[in-house]
C-alpha cells in the first residue's frame, strides 16, 4: 500500500491549507484514514481520522478549525485546515489503519512520508 500526500507549505497565522492523501496498491478495504502530526521534540499525535462509515474523531486542539473528509471510491482522505495557528506547525503524516489485503488476511497500518506545515506568526 502506498500513500501519496500533498498540500503542505508555509502559511501565515489565520490562513488555511488543505492536505490530501491518496492510497493505492492491493487492498480490499481500509477501516480508518486520518492524519497525525509531529512537531520538533514532541511525540506524534492524532489530528483527525475518519472511518469507512464516516465517523470522525479530532484532537481537541483542532476541533472547530480542521475538517477531515474521505472519499471511499477514490481511497483518499483530505484535511481542511482553517484558522491555522503557529502551534499547528509540524510534519503531518497520512495514516491508513485496519487495511485488509484479502478476506483472510489480517489488518495492517501504513504511513505516508509526511508533509511539512509551517504557520508563521
Amino acid at each position: 500500500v502506498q500513500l501519496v500526500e500533498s498540500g503542505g507549505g508555509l502559511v501565515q497565522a489565520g490562513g488555511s491549507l488543505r492536505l490530501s492523501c491518496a492510497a493505492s496498491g492491493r487492498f480490499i478495504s481500509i477501516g480508518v484514514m486520518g492524519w497525525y502530526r509531529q512537531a520538533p521534540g514532541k511525540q506524534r499525535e492524532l489530528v483527525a481520522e475518519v472511518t469507512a462509515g464516516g465517523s470522525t474523531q479530532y484532537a481537541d486542539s483542532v476541533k472547530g478549525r480542521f475538517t477531515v473528509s474521505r472519499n471511499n471510491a477514490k481511497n483518499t482522505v483530505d484535511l481542511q485546515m482553517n484558522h491555522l495557528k503557529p502551534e499547528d506547525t509540524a510534519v503531518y503524516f497520512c495514516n491508513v489503519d485496519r487495511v485488509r489485503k484479502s478476506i483472510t488476511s489480517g489488518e495492517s497500518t501504513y504511513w505516508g512520508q509526511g508533509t511539512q506545515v509551517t504557520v508563521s506568526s
Side-chain angles (χ1 to χ4, degrees):
V1 177
Q2 295 80 42
L3 301 178
V4 178
E5 302 156 335
S6 61
L10 173 64
V11 65
Q12 288 188 332
S16 298
L17 282 175
R18 187 177 184 89
L19 305 182
S20 296
C21 175
S24 62
R26 290 192 172 189
F27 52 86
I28 61 171
S29 65
I30 301 176
V32 184
M33 302 184 79
W35 292 89
Y36 286 69
R37 67 186 180 187
Q38 188 167 17
K42 294 188 177 181
Q43 289 189 332
R44 191 173 296 188
E45 62 175 359
L46 172 68
V47 177
E49 63 182 14
V50 54
T51 69
S55 298
T56 58
Q57 181 178 348
Y58 293 91
D60 287 342
S61 60
V62 307
K63 285 180 180 177
R65 300 189 296 123
F66 291 10
T67 302
V68 64
S69 58
R70 172 175 177 167
N71 185 318
N72 290 328
K74 297 183 178 179
N75 295 311
T76 58
V77 59
D78 292 346
L79 184 67
Q80 178 65 43
M81 304 184 292
N82 299 327
H83 306 295
L84 282 160
K85 303 176 181 180
E87 50 263 44
D88 294 318
T89 295
V91 178
Y92 284 68
F93 296 89
C94 177
N95 172 264
V96 292
D97 194 20
R98 291 166 45 197
V99 180
R100 283 192 177 273
K101 293 191 174 183
S102 71
I103 295 175
T104 57
S105 70
E107 296 178 336
S108 301
T109 189
Y110 298 88
W111 294 92
Q113 78 282 0
T115 184
Q116 178 70 45
V117 171
T118 302
V119 184
S120 62
S121 57

